[in-house]
Amino acid sequence: MVPIEHVIALSAALFTIGVGGVLIRRNLIVILMSIELMLNAANVALIGFNRMWPGIEGAPRMDGQVFVLMVITVAACEVAVGLGILISMFRNRDSVNIDEVNLLKW
Amino acid sequence: MEISAVLFYVFAGLAVISALAMVLNVRNTVAAAMSLVVTMVSIGGIFVLLDAYLVAALQIMVYGGAIVVLFLFVVMLLNLRTDDFPPVGLRLAKLGGGLLVVVVVSAIPRLLGGVFPEIPAAPTGYGGYRALGIALYTDYVLLVEMVSLLLLAAIVGALILAKRKID
């Protein structure tokens, strides 16, 4: 089994890549994908730490995995609503470039 | 090195490389979605190596299946095969991002080295559907109810957002 530090390093690397994607890309679809990547990085850390404290024989602890299930559900909801927003934005502006959506920008 | 450790590093490398490919692929949105599939399946493999079998199956089904198909569906629907607005300063971003990932990956094991003990052996039933179901429907039953409400709200919200005109 690998040390837990390497699992956390993988999680941090994936999260960093996701943040980078949100910051540098201007295509809304790729930004949504990067958000998914960040949620997955959090899942990796949760699963790793749950494996670190797995409970005792006869009473396994599954708290981290329950949280991961909730994160997966939230991610699915977020994608559904995000893609709905994207479709209505494309309908109004004929583009998925977020630089063109600056009405709320101060 | 034992086989599970080798597999972990293979899956981790695959996940990071395909995640980078997703973020840095500025020409083709479909290829970015395909890279996302590779990332999700690799993360599912890492979940299996960490003994979270049910979550790994759900990860591959929900992420690799449903969510990426939804992305591809929207890409095809809006006919966005090519990405017409590349990010500004991409070369700098590639360089800085690669450097940042290398620093993060190399710094964290050193910083955390010795903080945590070895990973203990998992008890029987760890990561299976039985233990997860018992945890879900006893300790976290309120959470399940709240998530069901969230799903309902998301369905209604997505329908209203994507509808052409509300009558």
Side-chain angles (χ1 to χ4, degrees):
Chain A
M1 187 59 76
V2 293
I4 189 78
E5 293 90 354
H6 293 185
V7 181
I8 305 307
L10 169 67
S11 169
L14 288 176
F15 195 88
T16 316
I17 295 170
V19 172
V22 170
L23 289 179
I24 69 169
R25 296 303 301 265
R26 292 188 289 161
N27 186 338
L28 185 55
I29 292 186
V30 182
I31 289 176
L32 281 173
M33 287 184 199
S34 302
I35 294 172
E36 292 304 308
L37 193 64
M38 287 195 275
L39 288 167
N40 257 289
N43 284 353
V44 171
L46 281 170
I47 293 280
F49 278 123
N50 195 180
R51 185 65 187 76
M52 192 76 217
W53 288 278
I56 50 167
E57 189 63 46
R61 289 189 67 122
M62 306 288 280
D63 306 272
Q65 300 188 22
V66 171
F67 295 157
V68 169
L69 280 189
M70 299 305 147
V71 171
I72 289 177
T73 321
V74 170
C77 292
E78 175 249 315
V79 165
V81 175
L83 289 177
I85 292 174
L86 185 133
I87 287 176
S88 68
M89 171 179 149
F90 188 81
R91 201 173 279 147
N92 286 326
R93 308 225 163 209
D94 220 24
S95 163
V96 289
N97 187 346
I98 53 158
D99 282 352
E100 292 178 18
V101 191
N102 51 10
L103 207 63
L104 285 177
K105 208 175 183 178
W106 186 248
Chain B
M1 209 193 288
E2 53 188 318
I3 184 75
S4 68
V6 176
L7 275 177
F8 176 85
Y9 294 119
V10 169
F11 278 132
L14 209 59
V16 169
I17 289 170
S18 55
L20 279 174
M22 180 196 84
V23 170
L24 297 178
N25 186 337
V26 294
R27 284 193 304 278
N28 195 338
T29 316
V30 178
M34 286 303 158
S35 309
L36 190 67
V37 176
V38 177
T39 313
M40 297 309 176
V41 173
S42 310
I43 291 174
I46 284 166
F47 286 177
V48 170
L49 293 174
L50 290 168
D51 295 324
Y53 305 111
L54 181 63
V55 177
L58 288 172
Q59 163 87 12
I60 291 172
M61 278 195 278
V62 175
Y63 273 112
I67 289 182
V68 176
V69 168
L70 207 59
F71 274 119
L72 279 177
F73 186 67
V74 170
V75 170
M76 303 282 178
L77 189 72
L78 304 184
N79 204 8
L80 300 169
R81 288 190 61 86
T82 53
D83 198 342
D84 298 329
F85 26 92
V88 281
L90 187 68
R91 183 161 307 179
L92 194 72
K94 272 182 178 167
L95 206 70
L99 209 67
L100 196 63
V101 168
V102 168
V103 166
V104 162
V105 167
S106 60
I108 283 186
R110 246 208 340 272
L111 283 178
L112 292 179
V115 174
F116 295 108
E118 287 267 302
I119 293 182
T124 46
Y126 177 82
Y129 61 91
R130 187 182 164 84
L132 196 60
I134 288 173
L136 263 182
Y137 290 110
T138 55
D139 292 346
Y140 293 104
V141 66
L142 185 65
L143 208 54
V144 174
E145 295 295 330
M146 284 159 70
V147 155
S148 71
L149 264 182
L150 177 70
L151 275 172
L152 181 66
I155 294 168
V156 176
L159 270 178
I160 287 178
L161 279 171
K163 221 172 160 186
R164 197 170 285 276
K165 200 173 169 198
I166 299 159
D167 32 51

